[in-house]
């Protein structure tokens, strides 16, 4: 049941620190990351020079994060594709490819068909799934389970963050076995992973402040989310959350792309969420924020707590716990989930069952 929560989504958002802790305690063994399978998956991670990641919706957003992390920590060539496009497109996937399918349910027909196609082409197939014994697990060569428990709300929350964590662990382990990151870097990384549950819990503790900001957009028809680097990747998922449960049109834009078109959509009062958690990109990201503010946008900044004071005179700020930049995606998405949740709930919508959507999509 909902255990006293008004909606499953609220409960599932709050469960995330526990879900992340569970995965960490299963996979972080003596400061190493162990996937089991007698080390054969580690060998695959060491030897493949090509990865292809395929999924739909939220799971695809986790995959896009995974691709960035593999590139960052291993330099491997990674493609990500929507399952629905992958099935009918020309593909270069073959025996040299590690193919990764991501799915909460393990039953999404497009993702299943994509996996079958990759397997037929000779790729080694890894699945990241939540539901045990699902159809996709029966086709994959290896399955990693996120074990987040049943996700009832149509809008995915804990499935996304646990899928993301799997990619962090896969990319870090790959970097270690391939020698593209040092042991010291790896240790520093695992100590960051261990801080994620508390960081997420801290954001959950700021619910009321986030709720207050969400109230300001319930009558909006459009909302834009802008950021660079990993922020942009997280915002794609944030924008999907908001649109699917609040019915506000929301889009994520890479901040640097704004002036190539989308900035034409900004006018007096347009709500914009700008994420600026990536230290090396912050001055660039802020200059984009100033541009849209000059055009009248109502900006909410998402920034690390250490910078909150610098910005609070000029902007509404959602402050996030100060993890190393690479790990900010976890507290950041929690803030956006909570924000979307309150917009939907305050509009009086059925948060758990948004119109036109099904939890599992079994038709192409
Ligand atoms: C969005 C959402 C969907 C699913 C997508 C894939 O909140 O839940 O976008 O992520 O339909 O579903 P799975 O992961 O079951 O393959």
């Amino acid at each position: 049941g909902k255990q006293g929560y008004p909606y499953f989504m609220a409960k599932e958002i709050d469960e995330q620190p526990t879900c992340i802790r569970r995965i960490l305690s299963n996979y972080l063994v003596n400061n190493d990351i162990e996937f089991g399978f007698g080390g054969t998956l580690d060998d695959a991670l060491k030897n493949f020079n090509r990865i292809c990641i395929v999924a739909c919706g939220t799971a695809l957003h986790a995959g896009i994060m995974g691709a960035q992390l593999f590139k960052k920590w291993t330099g491997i060539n990674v493609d990500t594709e929507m399952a629905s496009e992958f099935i009918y497109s020309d593909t270069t996937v073959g025996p040299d490819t590690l193919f990764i399918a991501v799915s909460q349910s393990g039953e999404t027909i497009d993702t299943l068909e994509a996996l079958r196609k990759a397997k037929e082409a000779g790729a080694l197939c890894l699945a990241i799934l939540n539901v045990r014994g699902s159809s996709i697990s029966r086709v994959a060569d290896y399955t990693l389970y996120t074990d987040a428990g049943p996700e009832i709300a149509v809008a995915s929350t804990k499935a996304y963050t646990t899928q993301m964590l799997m990619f962090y662990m896969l990319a870090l382990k790959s970097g270690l076995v391939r020698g593209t990151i040092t042991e010291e870097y790896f240790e520093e990384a695992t100590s960051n992973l261990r801080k994620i549950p508390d960081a997420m819990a801290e954001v959950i503790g700021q619910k009321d402040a986030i709720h207050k900001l969400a109230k300001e957009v319930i009558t909006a028809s459009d909302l834009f989310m802008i950021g660079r680097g990993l922020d942009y990747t997280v915002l794609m998922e944030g924008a999907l959350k908001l649109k699917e449960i609040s019915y506000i049109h929301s889009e994520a834009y890479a901040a640097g792309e704004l002036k190539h078109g989308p900035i034409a959509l900004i006018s007096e009062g347009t709500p914009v969420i700008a994420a600026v958690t990536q230290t090396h990109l912050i001055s660039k990201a802020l200059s984009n924020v100033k541009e849209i503010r000059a055009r009248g946008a109502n900006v909410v900044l998402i920034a690390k707590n250490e910078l909150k004071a610098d910005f609070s005179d000029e902007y509404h700020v959602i402050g996030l716990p100060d993890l190393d930049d690479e790990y900010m995606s976890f507290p950041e998405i929690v803030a956006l989930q909570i924000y979307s949740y309150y917009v939907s709930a305050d509009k009086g919508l059925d948060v758990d069952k948004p119109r036109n959507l099904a939890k599992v999509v079994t038709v192409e």
Side-chain angles (χ1 to χ4, degrees):
K2 292 181 203 151
Q3 293 167 11
Y5 286 93
Y7 292 101
F8 281 106
M9 187 182 179
K11 169 177 169 271
E12 290 162 6
I13 288 172
D14 281 12
E15 282 171 349
Q16 294 178 104
T18 307
C19 297
I20 297 290
R21 251 180 228 117
R22 184 182 305 132
I23 296 182
L24 293 175
S25 74
N26 287 340
Y27 290 88
L28 285 191
V29 184
N30 305 324
N31 280 329
D32 197 0
I33 294 171
E34 288 183 7
F35 296 112
F37 309 114
T40 54
L41 180 57
D42 298 356
D43 291 340
L45 295 175
K46 191 169 178 174
N47 295 320
F48 281 104
N49 290 316
R50 266 195 74 196
I51 296 177
C52 179
I53 303 172
V54 167
C56 304
T58 289
L60 177 63
H61 293 152
I64 294 171
M65 180 60 75
Q68 316 253 40
L69 300 173
F70 275 118
K71 285 189 259 183
K72 179 186 293 294
W73 288 324
T74 69
I76 303 180
N77 240 322
V78 194
D79 294 314
T80 48
E81 220 174 319
M82 297 168 199
S84 58
E85 289 295 313
F86 180 84
I87 305 171
Y88 300 105
S89 65
D90 300 320
T91 178
T92 53
V93 163
D96 65 338
T97 314
L98 173 63
F99 184 89
I100 307 179
V102 194
S103 174
Q104 188 285 129
S105 63
E107 300 294 346
T108 300
I109 190 74
D110 285 335
T111 310
L112 177 61
E113 290 302 330
L115 184 68
R116 287 197 176 119
K117 178 172 171 174
K119 201 166 175 187
E120 224 154 83
L124 187 78
C125 294
L126 168 65
I128 298 176
L129 307 178
N130 191 41
V131 178
R132 284 182 182 263
S134 50
S135 305
I136 290 177
S137 73
R138 280 178 259 127
V139 180
D141 298 304
Y142 296 95
T143 299
L144 292 172
Y145 287 103
T146 52
D147 284 330
E151 193 182 62
I152 310 291
V154 165
S156 185
T157 53
K158 60 181 181 172
Y160 172 74
T161 45
T162 53
Q163 287 158 356
M164 248 196 342
L165 181 62
M166 285 297 178
F167 276 114
Y168 275 76
M169 294 192 304
L170 282 167
L172 283 168
K173 181 74 179 194
S174 302
L176 186 69
V177 296
R178 300 169 79 94
T180 46
I181 58 174
T182 62
E183 297 220 356
E184 295 73 55
Y185 186 94
F186 182 83
E187 262 177 43
E188 187 58 34
T190 53
S191 86
N192 267 280
L193 294 181
R194 289 198 172 87
K195 291 178 192 158
I196 291 171
D198 285 348
M200 292 170 110
E202 203 176 311
V203 179
I204 292 167
Q206 296 178 55
K207 258 181 205 173
D208 295 344
I210 298 172
H211 187 178
K212 236 167 117 184
L213 294 172
K215 277 191 177 42
E216 302 199 1
V217 300
I218 60 172
T219 59
S221 50
D222 303 275
L223 182 150
F224 301 103
M225 301 195 188
I226 65 169
R228 287 174 179 257
L230 298 187
D231 281 330
Y232 170 52
T233 309
V234 176
L235 293 174
M236 288 183 199
E237 171 58 10
L240 177 62
K241 282 299 76 98
L242 186 66
K243 68 162 76 90
E244 68 182 327
I245 60 173
S246 78
Y247 314 149
I248 294 174
H249 165 237
S250 58
E251 296 294 336
Y253 288 112
E257 269 294 294
L258 281 173
K259 50 165 99 45
H260 301 286
I263 199 165
L265 296 168
I266 305 290
S267 62
E268 196 58 42
T270 306
V272 175
I273 294 179
V276 294
T277 70
Q278 302 297 298
T279 311
H280 66 298
L281 298 170
I282 210 157
S283 67
K284 288 250 155 72
L286 280 173
S287 82
N288 301 127
V289 171
K290 292 204 174 101
E291 282 161 10
I292 56 153
R293 227 181 45 152
R295 284 155 184 84
N298 261 333
V299 180
V300 170
L301 271 194
I302 300 185
K304 288 190 186 184
N305 275 331
E306 60 187 6
L307 291 174
K308 192 173 174 185
D310 296 356
F311 298 133
S312 338
D313 287 347
E314 277 185 87
Y315 300 97
H316 292 298
V317 186
I318 298 176
L320 301 178
D322 306 316
L323 301 175
D324 288 352
D325 290 2
E326 291 81 358
Y327 307 90
M328 291 305 291
S329 28
F330 292 90
E332 186 171 335
I333 193 58
V334 173
L336 293 166
Q337 292 165 345
I338 293 171
Y339 184 90
S340 305
Y341 169 79
Y342 281 121
V343 176
S344 175
D346 286 356
K347 287 178 83 163
L349 301 172
D350 187 346
V351 178
D352 288 340
K353 291 199 185 67
R355 68 187 180 201
N356 310 339
L357 294 174
K359 183 68 183 162
V360 185
V361 181
T362 51
V363 285
E364 284 186 15

